[in-house]
Amino acid sequence: MNKMFLFLPLFFFLSCQQQQENQQVSNQTKVSSQVLTKENKWKNESTIKFLFLEESKIEHIDIFISQARKWEKYINLNFEFHKIDKTRTGLLTPKFWRKTILVKFDPSSSGGSSKLGNGYDDSLFIKSFMTIGTDNHIQSLKGVILHEIGHALGLKHEHQHPDTNYYEDEEQLKLICALYNIKEKEECSVNFKREERNDQNEVSQYDRFSIMHYNSIDGAKLNNGYALTSGSLNLSLSDKIFIAKIYPKKEPLTLEQIERMHEIDVEQEKIEFRESLKNEICEITESSELCGSSAPYTIVINGFAVGCFEDINTAYQFEHNFCGVD
Ligand SMILES: [Zn+2]
């Protein structure tokens, strides 16, 4: 079967890990994407403030806000967006002491990092950053933003779901972490170790298309035997169903409503995707460097790799559909 794999940049994995490690160590949390620890949940109906650093570019703020809204419409949390006022110095005003996430765009990185859920609320004065690397194709940047906001809602990585089976013992886990350039044991464990089913966790079905799933790389088979994940750049249907259940609206969304909203989202995403690729230079390169030898055909758009394919014909089809190349 022909498959297309869109992926977040490899560096994404690395930068994603560090803050979660801190978070996990300090709070002893046990969470997974579509597995979420109750203690990391924000109180339902809360207003969460995203506070952008003063040097943030307006185009990045705009993209961030539109991505945040993609989560927000499924939940009973309100998002507010603010930018630090250049004319003010020193401490943040009391408005930003609680339930505030400082957002930093980092032009030198293509990844991101975030604390988990209400972990942002652990200190009044010393705020933790969510970092968003902007050295990315816009579609990958959008994916990174959705992923980091997922963490900020309390979700952890989907490949850590209790139903995954990509490693059997500590030794194999260590080898997989090494493939992702992670050598430190705690960091490896926090980002890759399988979660358990227990009273603290809320768990939904494993979803390999979740925005919270890492891309598997050659040899890692993170994805229950698949060499690669879809590396989704958008919220999956079950991401939406799960988060709607975690933060239910006063009148909870029904499954049918969510499915209908999802269909509309998917149409919109297709349009956005085509729009962003218009007039860009599409190339197909053959290299196992990014996705491994099982999907060596990589589409590169304006210098950014955006997808890997198992066979050349699917790669051509993608190029034709999205880049208008015959
Ligand atoms: Zn992550």
Side-chain angles (χ1 to χ4, degrees), residues 181-223:
N181 282 330
I182 297 172
K183 291 176 185 76
E184 211 266 304
K185 198 179 169 196
E186 188 62 36
E187 196 183 342
C188 173
S189 167
V190 162
N191 289 285
F192 285 90
K193 196 167 180 157
R194 208 159 28 237
E195 291 292 333
E196 290 165 17
R197 289 182 195 275
N198 60 34
D199 291 347
Q200 297 164 306
N201 287 336
E202 297 208 25
V203 183
S204 73
Q205 269 194 339
Y206 172 67
D207 170 24
R208 75 189 193 95
F209 298 103
S210 169
I211 190 71
M212 303 311 292
H213 206 306
Y214 279 2
N215 298 283
S216 190
I217 54 179
D218 211 19
K221 298 204 173 189
L222 232 56
N223 203 0

Side-chain angles (χ1 to χ4, degrees), residues 130-265:
M130 170 188 285
T131 58
I132 303 290
T134 56
D135 182 21
N136 248 334
H137 187 273
I138 184 172
Q139 291 304 330
S140 302
L141 172 63
K142 286 176 172 180
V144 171
I145 292 170
L146 286 176
H147 180 98
E148 301 311 334
I149 295 174
H151 283 316
L153 293 174
L155 304 180
K156 213 189 165 190
H157 294 136
E158 183 67 4
H159 50 271
Q160 293 175 279
H161 191 285
D163 294 345
T164 57
N165 60 6
Y166 61 92
Y167 68 92
E168 273 173 24
D169 53 29
E170 290 293 320
E171 208 45 45
Q172 276 188 6
L173 181 62
K174 210 171 125 185
L175 290 173
I176 286 167
C177 285
L179 289 171
Y180 287 85
N181 282 330
I182 297 172
K183 291 176 185 76
E184 211 266 304
K185 198 179 169 196
E186 188 62 36
E187 196 183 342
C188 173
S189 167
V190 162
N191 289 285
F192 285 90
K193 196 167 180 157
R194 208 159 28 237
E195 291 292 333
E196 290 165 17
R197 289 182 195 275
N198 60 34
D199 291 347
Q200 297 164 306
N201 287 336
E202 297 208 25
V203 183
S204 73
Q205 269 194 339
Y206 172 67
D207 170 24
R208 75 189 193 95
F209 298 103
S210 169
I211 190 71
M212 303 311 292
H213 206 306
Y214 279 2
N215 298 283
S216 190
I217 54 179
D218 211 19
K221 298 204 173 189
L222 232 56
N223 203 0
N224 279 5
Y226 291 90
L228 296 149
T229 67
S230 72
S232 170
L233 297 176
N234 288 306
L235 303 184
S236 69
L237 176 61
S238 59
D239 286 334
K240 294 168 184 176
I241 293 169
F242 185 69
I243 208 69
K245 200 180 108 204
I246 296 295
Y247 299 107
K249 289 183 181 291
K250 271 210 176 90
E251 212 173 296
L253 292 171
T254 64
L255 183 59
E256 292 70 35
Q257 281 173 318
I258 297 172
E259 283 172 347
R260 223 173 308 133
M261 288 162 76
H262 180 66
E263 274 173 31
I264 296 166
D265 290 345

Side-chain angles (χ1 to χ4, degrees), residues 106-140:
D106 179 0
S108 69
S109 155
S110 59
S113 69
S114 175
K115 286 195 126 185
L116 297 173
N118 61 9
Y120 279 103
D121 228 11
D122 58 3
S123 162
L124 287 188
F125 303 112
I126 302 166
K127 293 287 168 210
S128 305
F129 287 105
M130 170 188 285
T131 58
I132 303 290
T134 56
D135 182 21
N136 248 334
H137 187 273
I138 184 172
Q139 291 304 330
S140 302

